[in-house]
């Protein structure tokens, strides 16, 4: 089965995705025109911790030492935002902006303060602060137009981030079907049960979005291309130009915190569809739901929803079957499970 490479320590080696199908984005004019010039940023690579800006997040990343007593939240009546503070001083992001959240993110603000308050006194890592990292990334991305630092702009180019995320749609794990021989056919059977409805749902979702924005004629529809290893063999999967254009237009509608949550989910699950499913299941702003996430549903009772456990199964189905057949590798698969849930839960809280 063709998949993106994962942890090298597994019960059975995974097959690698061909370089061209994994690394090349559609060269269609509509996408090429959006690539930022002189931009070398990469999805998920945050070089901000290497910055010389004096901020608390940078200090923790470099030293790993606790330098505060307590974290708390302060609501600034002038800015109408929640500031996360350490011992009365407002935290700053890796690019030096105040770590402050809008009124709609009150719950997230208190959860971030909780992260800093309950960090251990021993050597700590920045990975112990997943919510802080996501919120800081959202703030730095949204503030980039205020910065004259060309290096920061190069590092945080939104268009490049969207293009990098779009690449995962070509090699989406939910769009690749195993052969009937793997795991005695049980893997393929389960994929048919959970992947087919997912593909049908997102075909309808992106078709309705495309019609609402008049991106395609009413008599046309979006159909995601998938790879069937039983009949297609070792070839790459690639979405059509029109599909990529529609999906890119949809990405332009996302609020910055949702975009960061989507990025985190895609990096964790190696699945664009799982990332969108997480947003559709956890965003609670009714206006945004109707306009962006549930536009193909008539009522709230019919809203599309997947739990975190559902998303883990969708994205990690092959590993689940492999470990069921050959057993888990201690301190690898069990750790991966917790890491998956932590990352997905953090993304869900950030977009909530």
């Amino acid at each position: 089965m063709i998949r993106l490479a994962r942890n090298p320590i597994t019960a059975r080696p995974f097959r690698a995705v061909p370089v061209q199908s994994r690394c090349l984005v559609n060269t269609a004019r509509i996408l090429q025109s959006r690539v930022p010039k002189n931009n070398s940023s990469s999805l998920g690579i945050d070089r901000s911790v290497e910055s010389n800006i004096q901020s608390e997040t940078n200090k923790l990343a470099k030293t790993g030492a606790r330098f505060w007593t307590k974290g708390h939240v302060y609501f600034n009546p002038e800015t109408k935002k929640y500031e996360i503070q350490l011992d009365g001083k407002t935290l700053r992001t890796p690019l030096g902006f105040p770590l402050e959240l809008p009124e709609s993110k009150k719950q997230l603000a208190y959860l971030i303060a909780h992260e800093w308050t309950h960090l251990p006194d021993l050597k700590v890592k920045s990975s112990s602060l997943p919510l802080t990292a996501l919120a800081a990334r959202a703030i730095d991305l949204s503030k980039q137009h205020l910065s004259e630092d060309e290096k920061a702009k190069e590092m945080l180019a939104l268009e490049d981030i969207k293009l990098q995320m779009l690449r995962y749609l070509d090699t989406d794990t939910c769009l690749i079907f195993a052969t009937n021989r793997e795991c005695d056919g049980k893997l393929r059977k389960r994929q048919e049960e959970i992947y087919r409805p997912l593909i049908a749902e997102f075909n309808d979702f992106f078709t309705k979005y495309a019609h609402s924005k008049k991106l395609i004629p009413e008599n046309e529809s979006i159909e995601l291309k998938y790879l069937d290893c039983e009949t297609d063999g070792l070839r790459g999967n690639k979405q059509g130009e029109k599909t990529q254009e529609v999906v890119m237009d949809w990405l332009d509608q996302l609020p910055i915190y949702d975009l960061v949550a989507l990025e985190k989910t895609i990096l964790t699950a190696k699945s664009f569809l799982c990332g969108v499913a997480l947003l559709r299941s956890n965003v609670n702003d009714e206006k945004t739901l109707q306009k962006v996430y549930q536009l193909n549903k008539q009522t709230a009772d019919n809203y599309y929803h997947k739990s975190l456990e559902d998303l883990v199964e969708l994205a990690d189905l092959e590993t689940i079957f492999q470990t069921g057949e050959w057993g888990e590798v201690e301190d690898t698969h069990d750790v991966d499970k917790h890491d998956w849930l932590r990352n997905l839960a953090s993304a869900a809280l950030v977009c909530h």
Side-chain angles (χ1 to χ4, degrees), residues 177-179 188 226-235:
F177 290 84
T179 65
R188 177 58 182 255
Y226 59 86
L227 178 65
D228 188 339
C229 294
E230 184 68 29
T231 57
D232 298 330
L234 297 176
R235 71 165 177 81

Side-chain angles (χ1 to χ4, degrees), residues 9 43 103 208 245 247 347:
I9 308 176
L43 181 65
E103 287 185 273
K208 292 289 175 48
E245 180 183 350
V247 175

Side-chain angles (χ1 to χ4, degrees), residues 60-270:
L60 178 64
K62 291 179 179 180
T63 66
R66 181 165 180 147
F67 51 86
W68 68 96
T69 302
K70 183 180 180 181
H72 67 281
V73 177
Y74 167 70
F75 181 73
N76 191 324
E78 296 183 2
T79 61
K80 302 295 183 182
K81 292 184 177 181
Y82 291 97
E83 298 179 5
I84 292 83
Q85 299 184 339
L86 298 182
D87 300 333
K89 182 180 179 181
T90 301
L91 270 167
R92 287 169 295 167
T93 69
L95 292 184
F97 295 107
L99 191 55
E100 53 185 14
L101 306 179
E103 287 185 273
S104 60
K105 298 292 182 182
K106 179 179 179 180
Q107 179 187 36
L108 179 60
Y110 278 92
L111 288 172
I112 291 175
H114 184 273
E115 277 188 330
W116 287 83
T117 299
H118 295 280
L119 271 179
D121 292 323
L122 301 176
K123 195 77 172 178
V124 295
K125 298 180 180 180
S126 56
S127 59
S128 303
L129 299 165
L131 294 176
T132 301
L134 291 174
R137 182 160 175 75
I139 292 170
D140 283 344
L141 283 170
S142 63
K143 298 284 187 179
Q144 65 166 318
H145 63 284
L146 300 178
S147 174
E148 297 299 327
D149 189 340
E150 291 300 323
K151 183 177 180 180
K153 290 182 179 180
E154 176 183 336
M155 189 169 51
L156 300 172
L158 279 172
E159 291 301 314
D160 189 47
I161 290 174
K162 294 173 185 176
L163 283 170
Q164 294 286 350
M165 286 193 288
L166 184 61
R167 294 180 182 182
Y168 280 81
L169 189 58
D170 287 336
T171 55
D172 197 306
T173 188
C174 298
L175 295 176
I176 303 176
F177 290 84
T179 65
N180 293 321
R181 298 182 299 277
E182 295 193 49
C183 299
D184 297 324
K186 297 177 182 178
L187 174 58
R188 177 58 182 255
K189 180 180 178 182
R190 185 57 180 158
Q191 286 179 329
E192 293 286 348
E193 293 173 350
I194 64 177
Y195 286 179
R196 294 296 183 186
L198 182 77
I199 295 172
E201 167 63 30
F202 278 98
N203 281 340
D204 180 63
F205 174 75
F206 284 118
T207 295
K208 292 289 175 48
Y209 175 78
H211 288 164
S212 69
K213 297 295 291 291
K214 302 186 184 307
L215 298 175
I216 61 174
E218 288 293 330
N219 62 341
E220 294 184 8
S221 62
I222 296 297
E223 293 187 7
L224 295 170
K225 294 182 179 180
Y226 59 86
L227 178 65
D228 188 339
C229 294
E230 184 68 29
T231 57
D232 298 330
L234 297 176
R235 71 165 177 81
N237 190 37
K238 199 174 192 65
Q239 302 303 326
E241 178 182 344
K242 181 58 65 175
T243 297
Q244 294 199 47
E245 180 183 350
V246 169
V247 175
M248 279 296 293
D249 192 274
W250 179 81
L251 285 172
D252 288 339
Q253 314 305 314
L254 302 190
I256 188 62
Y257 284 90
D258 295 2
L259 188 69
V260 169
L262 176 63
E263 177 191 39
K264 184 66 173 179
T265 305
I266 291 174
L267 287 170
T268 299
K270 302 298 184 292

